Each structure stands twice: as C-alpha cells, then as structure tokens.
Amino acid sequence: MTEIAKSKAQPKRYLGLDLSLSPGLAVIDVKERVPTLVYAGSVATDTDINDATRSVVVESFIAHQVYAHLPFDVILREDFTAGRNKRATQTIFNAWAAADRALHSFGYKVHEVKPVLAPTTVKKLVAGNGKAEKKDVAEGVRKYLRLPSDYKWRSGYDDADACAVILAYLIRENLIDSEVAAT
C-alpha cells in the first residue's frame, strides 16, 4: 500500500467546543469525507457556586475528554461575538480560559480559523438558517452524523452545538460531502 493510500484511509479527528460555564464538547472523526460521531457531551455547573470553582469544573471536564479521546488533528470553538451584558461576557471568557488551560496541558490549542465560526454561520451551515433555534441545529447535526431520530441530546443542546461547530467547519472547508445529510 502506498503512503498516499495509507494516509487517505486514516480518519482525521476533530474536537469541537461550545464554551460557557456549562460547556458542550464533541469529537468527530472524518474518514473518506464522512463524519462519524465519537463522543458528544456537556457538563452543567451550578450557578450557586463561585466562578473559580465553576471554571475548575469546566477545565476538568474538558481535560478528561481530551485525555479520553486523544489524539486530535484539529480543535475548534465557536467564536464569541458579544455578551448580553458584562456578566455574560465575563463567564464566556472564564470558560475560554478554562478550556485553554485544559488543552495546553496536553500540548493543544484551538485552531484559529479565518473567517471565524460565528454563531450565525454555524447555524446557517448546519441548520440552513442563521437564526435557527437550538433544536433545529440539533436536527441538522443528527442528519449530518446519520444519528437515529431517537438520539438524545443533553438538556440545553450544548453537546449538539459542539458537534455543529465541527460540522460547520467541515462543510465550509468542503471536507465532508453535504449530500450525506440528505441520505
């Protein structure tokens, strides 16, 4: 087997992050232009505990999943556009820092994509509408990943949103066949 044939047969592994103080995380492999879900999950942090503790929970969750699903070819996160208020902005950047610490522990960093993956871009590419609701994005993710109609997403759809971040990148960069979602 030639080196080209060997490398073509190997899947590429993508890690996607939907960051907040209750983040979603997804791992998707792509082999021969077909995405396959490896893992999708989220962790809810208690709003009654302080931000420092919530940050440790987020960092621990991400570190655990990175360790469990090593190695990765590309790590992605949805861009942060603007918080509803100062407090929302603080919590998002707190989660970003927690994620960066977890990734750095394993020698990884987020792949900086240009143009960035804005929330409206992710929704448009995966659900067909830049203003899509979370359940519609989850349905688009389900189709692209060929998941059964009864596949259960976590409350809040943060796991589906993390999948959507990866899928939006794969669609935009023409790394998967969009017809897959129609079958």
Side-chain angles (χ1 to χ4, degrees):
M1 184 181 280
T2 68
E3 286 300 314
I4 293 172
K6 284 181 188 175
S7 65
K8 187 175 181 181
Q10 295 297 317
K12 284 192 87 170
R13 180 157 285 186
Y14 296 83
L15 172 74
L17 299 165
D18 176 49
L19 292 173
S20 68
L21 288 180
S22 293
L25 180 146
V27 179
I28 294 175
D29 282 352
V30 176
K31 184 174 180 179
E32 298 178 5
R33 300 184 55 83
V34 177
T36 302
L37 180 62
V38 175
Y39 171 83
S42 63
V43 64
T45 64
D46 187 338
T47 58
D48 291 335
I49 59 176
N50 65 56
D51 285 355
T53 304
R54 293 175 78 190
S55 178
V56 170
V57 172
V58 169
E59 182 178 350
S60 298
F61 167 70
I62 293 170
H64 177 76
Q65 296 309 324
V66 167
Y67 179 71
H69 297 98
L70 287 168
F72 299 100
D73 295 293
V74 179
I75 298 173
L76 303 157
R77 72 174 150 217
E78 187 174 71
D79 189 44
F80 176 69
T81 51
R84 296 179 307 276
N85 54 47
K86 180 180 174 185
R87 177 75 180 126
T89 301
Q90 288 172 328
T91 62
I92 294 298
F93 285 129
N94 189 347
W96 275 42
D100 287 347
R101 284 190 306 270
L103 293 170
H104 181 75
S105 296
F106 294 94
Y108 288 110
K109 65 179 185 173
V110 172
H111 179 67
E112 298 297 331
V113 297
K114 300 289 182 200
V116 296
L117 290 167
T120 54
T121 301
V122 171
K123 291 174 183 180
K124 182 173 181 165
L125 289 170
V126 176
N129 179 347
K131 295 181 180 180
E133 297 294 324
K134 284 184 168 277
K135 65 182 175 98
D136 299 320
V137 173
E139 185 56 34
V141 168
R142 184 179 281 118
K143 288 178 183 175
Y144 275 101
L145 295 176
R146 302 160 330 280
L147 299 173
S149 60
D150 62 348
Y151 183 86
K152 298 287 185 208
W153 299 108
R154 301 282 305 250
S155 176
Y157 295 104
D158 295 311
D159 50 351
D161 289 348
C163 290
V165 170
I166 299 169
L167 290 169
Y169 173 79
L170 295 172
I171 294 164
R172 187 181 75 188
E173 301 300 317
N174 192 28
L175 297 171
I176 59 173
D177 295 321
S178 295
E179 306 83 54
V180 170
T183 60

